[in-house]
Each structure stands twice: as structure tokens, then as C-alpha cells.
Amino acid sequence: MERMNFSFIIPVYNRPNEIKELLDSFLKLETEDDYEIVIIEDGSTESSEGVVKSFKNELNISYYFKSNSGPGDSRNYGMKKAKGNYFIILDSDVLLPSNYLIEVKTFLDNSYYDCFGGPDAAHPSFSNLQKAINFSMTSFITTGGIRGGKQKIEDFQPRSFNMGLSKKAFLASGGFGKIHPGEDPDLSLRLQKLGFKTTLIETAFVYHKRRISWSKFYKQVNKFGMVRPILNQWHPSSKSIVYWFPTIFSLGFIIATILALFQLNLPLYLYGFYFVVAFILALISNRSFSVAIQSLLAIGIQFFGYGFGFLKSTFYILILKRDPKKSFPQLFFLN
């Protein structure tokens, strides 16, 4: 196997402050390996060029501006420009722990994969809202702990906020498609069909800020739900009953509430027990009463947003047999 030369690929859209924080974390990166950073400005009106230039003397960094065509296409653009043979793709709203690249390289040196994903965590400096959202997206009690990196998983579907991809795999697959969100599991599934192996490196985590308001978080998870039936249609082997759980949870909660009006309280008690357990786990992991309370709201938004997005998309695609691009144009970049 040839020596790995890493290129970090980072698309950005109207987030100059986030790019500055991310590049600051690169300055603390502990590694003896050379690497480059490729920033792709995706048609922003708030340019990050000035921020990038301020790091030119400290980091091996390049900057490209292109018209807006979505994060997937921007990552493809960056990988075509990059000089490395192994790409690490990050979102602009992450921070790197100092040992990040050491963990990646050590893992790949011992067990090589052409594609990997890493988990995310909440940095101590994050707001209580960000920590609550992080808990809902990474806890075992909500997502099974997969996004939080509880175990090594073969055939893992990496997410592009923290994803590695070899140049060989990029060239063979053509990179990311035009759908967003969902371009990352789509790429993972296509890679697996091409014979490339994917995995989770649980020690290669990043601090992921995510959305900073409840409305933005709902919009994000609702799109996640709408995308999944489309991916299941494109990749039938990826179908799983697990994707129905948020919908079942949400509909069940509505039914339990209605039954409680008729003095049938047991179903609602079961939901109450679940949220009590979730509160205790959030309290233990964050040591904050405020974060624990907000985590319950985050869990509700996550389940209802994803669940009803999934149900709506399933109805349009499987029942009405409609074209996803016409029914959900907001999920596709067509430029």
C-alpha cells in the first residue's frame, strides 16, 4: 500500500466564523505527517477568503470559490483539486481534537479501509442547546449510539461531517451525488456495491456544533426523514425496519395521548418512563439539569421531525409513485 497523503476537504457556505474556529483547531493538531487543507466556498455571499488568507503562513491551505451547487458537488470539486491520495471530509461547523489525525492514521495503518466515518461529540464550550442536540443525536437511547461511536461497525455508512475517502474510491464512484442531505449514505452504499469496504473509527471523533436553533434542527431532521425512503428506493438492500422507529414512536405518542383522555393511561406511562430514563442519562453525561431538560425537547423534535418526514416521503414515493425530484425539489441540487 502506498504512503497515505491526507487532504482535508471542507466546503463552506456563509460561515466565515466557523471556518476560523476550525482552522484554529488545525493549529493544535498533533501529527508528524504533512497534510493539506482545501477550502471550497460554495457561492457564499459572506466570504471566508480573508479568514483563510490569515492562516496561509501557518497551514498548508488552498481556497477555491465556485458557484453554489451544494455541499456534495463542492466536496467533489475539492477532491479533484486536492493533491493527496486520501481525503478527509469535514463540515465547516466542526472542531478537531488535537489527536484526530494520529487516530485516523494509526487505524488505517493497522487496518486499511477505503472509506471511514467517525463519531461526533460536544465540546465543553458548546451551548446547552448544542449539547442537548448532540445527546439526542448520539445517545444509545435514541440512535443506538451508532453516531456516538460506541462500537466498530463494518459496512458503516459514514456521515460527511467526519468522513474519509481514498482517491481510488472517489475516482471509481464519481464521488457525491446531487441529493442533500443523504449524499453521504448514498455514496457509502454505492461504494459497497463497488466492493469497497467502509467502517467506523470510534476514536476519530470531532466536536460537531450542529444547528443552533430548534427550528433549524427540526428542518434538518425532517429532511433526514424525507431522504431515507429515496435512498431505500435507490438501494433496496439498505431497507430496514429501524428507519420506521421514529414514525412509530411519534404516532404511538399521539395515540397514547388520546387514550389517556379516556383514562387509558398505561401507554402514556410507558412514554413517561422512557423520557425519565433519557433525562437521567442526559443528566449523567452532561452533568447539567438544563441540558438534561433540553435533551428531552431535542429527542421529541428529532423523532417527530424525522418520523413525519419519513412518513410523508414514503407516502409520495411508494404509494403515489411520484418522482422524488419533483415531489421534493428542496432535497436536490440540479445545477
Side-chain angles (χ1 to χ4, degrees), residues 50-272:
V51 171
V52 174
K53 284 183 177 178
S54 69
F55 286 87
K56 280 283 189 178
N57 294 329
E58 299 172 281
L59 296 169
N60 178 15
I61 188 169
S62 56
Y63 171 89
Y64 300 94
F65 184 93
K66 52 178 280 300
S67 60
N68 180 247
S69 59
D73 189 60
S74 296
R75 296 180 193 115
N76 293 343
Y77 184 95
M79 287 186 279
K80 291 175 183 176
K81 296 289 186 180
K83 300 178 179 65
N85 58 15
Y86 207 103
F87 309 126
I88 298 179
I89 301 157
L90 303 174
D91 276 357
S92 62
D93 62 348
V94 305
L95 303 174
L96 294 180
S98 60
N99 65 336
Y100 176 84
L101 196 53
I102 292 175
E103 296 294 340
V104 170
K105 189 173 186 303
T106 299
F107 184 98
L108 293 178
D109 281 344
N110 292 321
S111 184
Y112 182 80
Y113 286 79
D114 282 286
C115 181
F116 76 85
D120 57 339
H123 192 272
S125 67
F126 286 4
S127 69
N128 286 348
L129 185 151
Q130 289 170 329
K131 291 176 181 177
I133 289 175
N134 179 268
F135 175 83
S136 73
M137 294 292 283
T138 62
S139 173
F140 177 82
I141 202 171
T142 55
T143 62
I146 293 176
R147 294 178 69 98
K150 300 302 181 184
Q151 57 183 333
K152 176 183 173 182
I153 300 177
E154 296 289 338
D155 297 329
F156 180 68
Q157 295 178 22
R159 297 298 184 265
S160 51
F161 65 81
N162 180 14
M163 179 179 187
L165 181 68
S166 72
K167 184 175 182 178
K168 178 182 177 182
F170 168 66
L171 294 174
S173 65
F176 295 94
K178 295 290 187 180
I179 194 170
H180 177 72
E183 71 275 17
D184 28 20
D186 171 58
L187 174 57
S188 301
L189 291 165
R190 286 190 286 112
L191 286 171
Q192 291 169 13
K193 289 178 182 178
L194 291 170
F196 293 99
K197 292 184 178 180
T198 63
T199 193
L200 170 70
I201 305 180
E202 64 175 288
T203 55
F205 69 91
V206 298
Y207 299 112
H208 194 190
K209 289 184 177 180
R210 301 188 179 280
R211 301 298 175 178
I212 57 174
S213 74
W214 293 120
S215 61
K216 289 181 179 179
F217 180 52
Y218 177 85
K219 183 178 180 180
Q220 182 186 53
V221 294
N222 186 247
K223 283 186 174 182
F224 287 162
M226 287 191 286
V227 158
R228 180 50 66 175
I230 299 173
L231 296 178
N232 289 345
Q233 184 185 61
W234 291 354
H235 309 283
S237 63
S238 69
K239 292 180 181 179
S240 172
I241 188 64
V242 170
Y243 300 129
W244 279 96
F245 286 176
T247 302
I248 295 169
F249 181 96
S250 302
L251 293 176
F253 183 82
I254 293 173
I255 293 171
T257 303
I258 294 173
L259 290 175
L261 298 176
F262 298 94
Q263 307 302 313
L264 299 172
N265 295 318
L266 179 60
L268 198 59
Y269 288 158
L270 294 176
Y271 276 92

Side-chain angles (χ1 to χ4, degrees), residues 8-22:
F8 286 89
I9 311 297
I10 307 166
V12 58
Y13 180 70
N14 290 338
R15 304 277 182 92
N17 291 335
E18 287 183 353
I19 283 295
K20 184 181 185 308
E21 292 179 331
L22 174 53

